[in-house]
Amino acid sequence: MSQLSLIARARKDFHKRLLASILQIDDSGVPGNADRSSASSCNIASGIAQKLLAENGVRTVAQTSGNKFEEVVALFISNTFPNLSNLRPGTWDVRQIKSRGGSEISKYSQYEHLAALTEAAKGNLELSAALGNDYTITPDVVITRQPETDAVINSIGHIVDSEVALRSDLRDRSLGRPPLLHASISTKWTLRSDRAQNARSEALNLIRNRKGRQPHIVVVTGEPTPSRLASLALGTGDIDCVYHFALHELIETVSELSDSPGTKISDSDDLLRIMVEGKRLKDISDLPLDLAV
């Protein structure tokens, strides 16, 4: 048997951590990512859980589930993306953002100007009302890249000097330039209509308020229901792509249920195919390589 690749091992570890925490089946047979009021959600979630060998456990509350999912996603990316230095060289940092104060985004090069807006709005109610909260963006997980010193840039030849490339965000001439936001990752253990719209609103704010290169803007979710996935995945322009925590198992489960008499998910198979073939829904294992683009 051939040895598993790095990403294949990381995917297995990713699922193990979820199975040990939030992806468990409660006493009534409902997995932790299912909507117990929806039969199709429970059926699909159960199929995925069984394929991932879920054990019985205590169903966690939504907030705890969300925080744990962020943590496990951040760890998966930390264990994969930095290993792609042959494809995407740089000094990288992957972090789960635990603070929800709204000022996190201004720590990064493309958004540092937002700190001045926040400060100005504090003492001016009129300005605060006019600005609203369009500039208040707090990603769940971020990937940042440190700017490079001249020594690194010139390590293979005389690339820059004191006369050129003085304003590039990648060049850290003063040894104090803030990191560049490479990716903003929104994690949604489950999707309801309001959660889908929150992800879209945050993505649009990241696009509109940046100065410089747009970061990757993606969503990672454990939502089992194709119709709810479609509410976020279909369409283009705001989110790069939606990544499912177990897309292979989801496709297999939906296919099996579609062939079973008495199940009401006949449209789910086609809907999944549209999202996957349209490059709007991918597996978590696709994310590290996509981040290297």
Side-chain angles (χ1 to χ4, degrees):
M1 184 177 179
S2 61
Q3 186 178 6
L4 288 176
S5 66
L6 180 143
I7 291 180
R9 291 197 311 272
R11 188 179 191 269
K12 281 185 174 294
D13 290 342
F14 172 71
H15 289 146
K16 282 180 183 176
R17 290 187 175 91
L18 292 176
L19 291 170
S21 54
I22 56 177
L23 186 59
Q24 297 188 340
I25 301 173
D26 65 16
D27 293 337
S28 58
V30 179
N33 60 334
D35 178 357
R36 62 175 64 251
S37 66
S38 166
S40 61
S41 177
C42 291
N43 288 335
I44 296 171
S46 294
I48 294 171
Q50 288 166 12
K51 293 181 190 306
L52 295 176
L53 304 178
E55 299 177 357
N56 292 333
V58 179
R59 186 184 177 98
T60 52
V61 298
Q63 187 61 39
T64 303
S65 298
N67 289 338
K68 186 63 181 179
F69 191 50
E70 289 176 19
E71 179 186 319
V72 177
V73 169
L75 188 57
F76 171 80
I77 296 168
S78 296
N79 290 338
T80 52
F81 177 70
N83 289 284
L84 306 180
S85 57
N86 61 320
L87 302 177
R88 202 63 151 90
T91 304
W92 305 98
D93 181 43
V94 180
R95 287 194 304 123
Q96 176 190 7
I97 304 302
K98 297 182 179 181
S99 169
R100 289 293 182 253
S103 61
E104 175 68 27
I105 197 71
S106 63
K107 297 176 182 177
Y108 312 122
S109 179
Q110 304 98 306
Y111 301 95
E112 59 180 329
H113 61 284
L114 297 181
L117 280 178
T118 302
E119 194 59 35
K122 281 181 182 178
N124 189 320
L125 294 178
E126 243 179 72
L127 179 61
S128 180
L131 291 173
N133 62 355
D134 282 353
Y135 61 93
T136 304
I137 308 160
T138 306
D140 296 322
V141 177
V142 297
I143 302 176
T144 59
R145 181 178 183 179
Q146 290 298 323
E148 304 290 356
T149 63
D150 283 7
V152 172
I153 296 172
N154 289 327
S155 62
I156 60 169
H158 196 196
I159 308 298
V160 296
D161 56 32
S162 60
E163 302 297 326
V164 296
L166 304 180
R167 297 180 180 84
S168 171
D169 289 337
L170 185 59
R171 187 180 181 187
D172 195 2
R173 297 181 66 242
S174 63
L175 302 180
R177 193 181 286 274
L180 294 106
L181 183 62
H182 178 71
S184 171
I185 301 166
S186 178
T187 63
K188 306 290 182 188
W189 179 227
T190 58
L191 281 176
R192 304 296 178 264
S193 58
D194 57 331
R195 292 176 188 171
Q197 294 314 309
N198 285 346
R200 286 189 182 279
S201 297
E202 185 176 278
L204 289 172
N205 287 341
L206 282 165
I207 294 168
R208 292 167 179 164
N209 287 298
R210 77 190 192 280
K211 287 187 178 179
R213 182 188 180 280
Q214 179 178 309
H216 289 277
I217 304 172
V218 305
V219 176
V220 179
T221 183
E223 173 59 48
T225 313
S227 59
R228 288 177 178 168
L229 288 169
S231 71
L232 183 58
L234 292 183
T236 58
D238 39 26
I239 295 164
D240 295 359
C241 189
V242 176
Y243 294 83
H244 196 267
F245 89 111
L247 181 60
H248 307 159
E249 292 78 6
L250 171 63
I251 291 172
E252 192 177 341
T253 297
V254 168
S255 177
E256 291 170 356
L257 290 173
S258 296
D259 293 336
S260 300
T263 58
K264 298 180 179 180
I265 61 165
S266 55
D267 296 335
S268 295
D269 214 351
D270 290 337
L271 193 53
L272 262 182
R273 191 176 297 109
I274 289 170
M275 289 186 283
V276 172
E277 292 181 0
K279 297 183 180 181
R280 302 305 301 147
L281 183 65
K282 297 184 182 183
D283 184 67
I284 185 71
S285 61
D286 295 306
L287 181 54
L289 287 174
D290 284 356
L291 291 171
V293 174

